[in-house]
Amino acid sequence: MRADNADAYLPTLVDLAAGEALDAYLERVADANYLTTARLMEMVRAGRGSTTAYLMLAPTPATLERIADLTGANTAALQNATLAAYDGTSLDLHGLDPVHQSSFRTISARGWIPGHGTQICPACLAEDGTWKTTWRLPTTTVCRIHGTYLLATCPGCQRPFRDQRHSPLRVVGPQTVCGNPLGQGPRKQCRVDLANLTAEPADDDCLKRQARQDVADAGGTVATFSGPLDAPEFTATLRSLTALLLHIAAATRTPNSLPPWSRHVADASRTGVRRWSIRPPQDPALRSRALTAADQILAAEDVDAAATRFGNWLQHIPEVPEGRLGWLADHTRMTPTLTRLVMAAHAPRRRLSHLLDQSPPLTASTRQIPQVLPARLVDEYLAGLFDARPATVGLFASLCLARTRPHIHSWADAARELGLQPELGERTARASSASLTGAPQDVVKALGAAARELGVDFRDLEDRVRHLARATRWFIQWARTHRAGTRRASHANAVWWLWVNAAGGHPNASPARTTAARARRFASSLTSAQVRTLSAAAAAPTNRYEEDRT
């Protein structure tokens, strides 16, 4: 209290509760002093320079002084009962001047600025009738005390709570009824008792996300994949990433592959609210789950893990002429942390390359790496990590194994080391990286497991097949014994089969002069016994059959 001006106080002084919103506090003050809320507002505006415009956003010093004169409350405590307490942490109210109404457009253009109304926790209102300031923050979506989502709309009048257009105080005063005007005369208000409403239990992940946000609201730093972020940077990044996820959810043609909450975004978009970076979803549960999805990306242990999580969303961005990066930039505000995330997620090949360059060699030498990893190993270890044909994945896997060698620093070098064209290595890396669906760390782990089963010298096997390509007597003898009636012209098809299946070679590097279509028809006609005996030809010493140069 301020004893130096005690005669200006109202007869009955009311203590401001911790976390209580200023407008709700003034309603209690009016009720305790047998005043209408309209009369109390007249007394507040009677002070020199005092105004009730934007009372809950940024009250002027003169307004705070006038309220302090009437209530005996401390001006600092009064300001902390408004959203101005979060200026510089969860909100950016710089430039708002209550005297100039146009200044609100400046701050509202930054997005996620609280407007009319508030959210509520019915259980909190039932306990002590206190309306909390934090309920007005768009990033506040749950009550951690009762473990429920907040409510945003009155089921009676279908409007936001405390949707007072002409006065910050309700006619009904401190009652827990809604009190929204119904437009049927000055004394017609919505009489729904808010303390009796039921709120939906909140997901555990949403409660954890709210705890992190509460740290930011208090001005603390929050841990992210990019290191600790101060409150303004964290909140700005979280809101921007959330807006991005909402836009992706609204644009995707395959919503079933995204979290269940994303299916409701399209319904929310039909109301005309599509600029999610300006105005988030009104439904607290939907907004909370979107914020939580964004926060889980930011809370990853490192940038690679964060990029992997965000990469699952990137694949749902529609194809547009300006490309993915252009689409992303058009649908949110980029912060330094979000830019780093987007660039990392947009370049999975670069991230995988970095991991491979930092990994110890996965094979004793490149001679133990086939040009194309066998299909059996691809199915066993790499299934589900790429959205590409097994043959492409097998080629890329071999390039990755070669990439772990200390003297190989590019995909072109890896291809040369395996006897392939450098351009093939670069094209395969681009295509396979774009189809990467698993985490790069999981790919490296799977490659290590597959490499442990590669114990033969594939360069030696390739040399043997090349030798068989130059000789025909072995094929004639094999065909006479195991495949009667086979023409000599099928020799090239048999060499192609041995190159691909026995030596793990790439079809484009095959020494056989045949077409892939003919070779595949030949391969499909082989019996299991013929496969075994044909494979033995590549494993036999090169001098077993007399060379017959063709």
Side-chain angles (χ1 to χ4, degrees), residues 465-487:
V465 175
R466 290 189 185 97
H467 173 81
L468 295 177
R470 296 192 298 267
T472 58
R473 183 167 297 184
W474 70 272
F475 177 74
I476 294 172
Q477 181 178 340
W478 173 83
R480 184 182 301 120
T481 305
H482 303 286
R483 189 181 169 92
T486 300
R487 295 181 299 173

Side-chain angles (χ1 to χ4, degrees), residues 224-226 241 244-245 248 293-317 324 328 337-352 354-355 433-434 436-441:
T224 70
F225 71 85
S226 190
L241 181 54
L244 209 49
L245 299 188
I248 293 174
D295 185 63
Q296 288 175 336
I297 295 173
L298 296 179
E301 58 272 17
D302 54 40
V303 67
D304 284 329
T308 298
R309 295 177 187 178
F310 185 49
N312 296 330
W313 290 85
L314 280 183
Q315 60 183 323
H316 294 276
I317 293 178
R324 283 183 173 181
L328 292 170
T337 302
L338 183 55
T339 299
R340 183 183 179 194
L341 172 66
V342 167
M343 296 309 296
H346 192 260
R349 173 166 62 97
R350 190 169 59 192
R351 293 187 291 107
L352 180 57
H354 177 74
L355 285 179
S433 298
L436 180 63
T437 58
Q441 298 92 325

Side-chain angles (χ1 to χ4, degrees), residues 367 369-371 415-421 457-472 474 491-492 494-500 502-513 537-543 547-550:
R367 297 185 68 86
I369 304 174
Q371 290 182 344
R416 290 191 192 94
E417 190 75 15
L418 299 181
L420 298 170
Q421 291 295 320
D457 187 334
F458 286 95
R459 302 294 87 77
D460 180 62
L461 285 175
E462 292 168 6
D463 289 340
R464 293 186 183 208
V465 175
R466 290 189 185 97
H467 173 81
L468 295 177
R470 296 192 298 267
T472 58
W474 70 272
H491 166 258
V495 170
W496 188 94
W497 187 92
L498 286 171
W499 177 262
V500 171
H506 191 273
N508 290 359
S510 171
R513 295 181 179 179
T542 56
N543 61 353
E547 284 195 11
D548 180 12
R549 304 286 182 179
T550 59

Side-chain angles (χ1 to χ4, degrees), residues 165 214 322 329 369 508:
R165 296 287 176 173
D214 289 347
E322 62 267 27
I369 304 174
N508 290 359

Side-chain angles (χ1 to χ4, degrees), residues 250-399:
T252 183
R253 296 182 178 178
T254 56
N256 291 336
S257 58
L258 291 176
W261 61 263
S262 64
R263 302 168 196 170
H264 302 288
V265 176
D267 296 335
S269 299
R270 294 192 187 100
T271 64
V273 181
R274 295 183 178 87
R275 298 180 64 189
W276 300 118
S277 60
I278 299 297
R279 184 179 176 187
Q282 185 177 11
D283 179 17
L286 175 59
R287 180 168 14 103
S288 184
R289 291 177 175 123
L291 282 163
T292 299
D295 185 63
Q296 288 175 336
I297 295 173
L298 296 179
E301 58 272 17
D302 54 40
V303 67
D304 284 329
T308 298
R309 295 177 187 178
F310 185 49
N312 296 330
W313 290 85
L314 280 183
Q315 60 183 323
H316 294 276
I317 293 178
E319 295 293 335
V320 291
E322 62 267 27
R324 283 183 173 181
L325 292 179
W327 191 92
L328 292 170
D330 286 342
H331 286 81
T332 195
R333 291 181 175 86
M334 287 293 177
T335 66
T337 302
L338 183 55
T339 299
R340 183 183 179 194
L341 172 66
V342 167
M343 296 309 296
H346 192 260
R349 173 166 62 97
R350 190 169 59 192
R351 293 187 291 107
L352 180 57
S353 300
H354 177 74
L355 285 179
L356 293 171
D357 290 341
Q358 300 300 315
S359 300
L362 298 179
T363 56
S365 73
T366 54
R367 297 185 68 86
Q368 292 184 328
I369 304 174
Q371 290 182 344
V372 180
L373 194 71
R376 177 184 66 82
L377 299 182
V378 171
D379 292 339
E380 183 173 354
Y381 296 108
L382 295 167
L385 297 177
F386 295 89
D387 183 18
R389 295 186 304 113
T392 302
V393 176
L395 172 58
F396 184 59
S398 291
L399 294 170

Side-chain angles (χ1 to χ4, degrees), residues 165-228:
R165 296 287 176 173
H166 303 293
S167 172
L169 306 190
R170 302 176 304 155
V171 174
V172 297
Q175 299 181 53
T176 58
V177 297
C178 173
N180 279 339
L182 296 178
Q184 301 172 2
R187 296 187 179 276
K188 294 290 186 178
Q189 294 91 29
C190 178
R191 304 303 298 181
V192 172
D193 190 348
L194 307 183
N196 291 332
L197 299 180
T198 301
E200 177 187 355
D203 300 338
D204 289 342
D205 289 340
C206 289
L207 292 170
K208 294 176 183 176
R209 196 277 314 169
Q210 188 64 61
R212 283 164 52 84
Q213 183 62 51
D214 289 347
V215 172
D217 292 342
T221 59
V222 183
T224 70
F225 71 85
S226 190

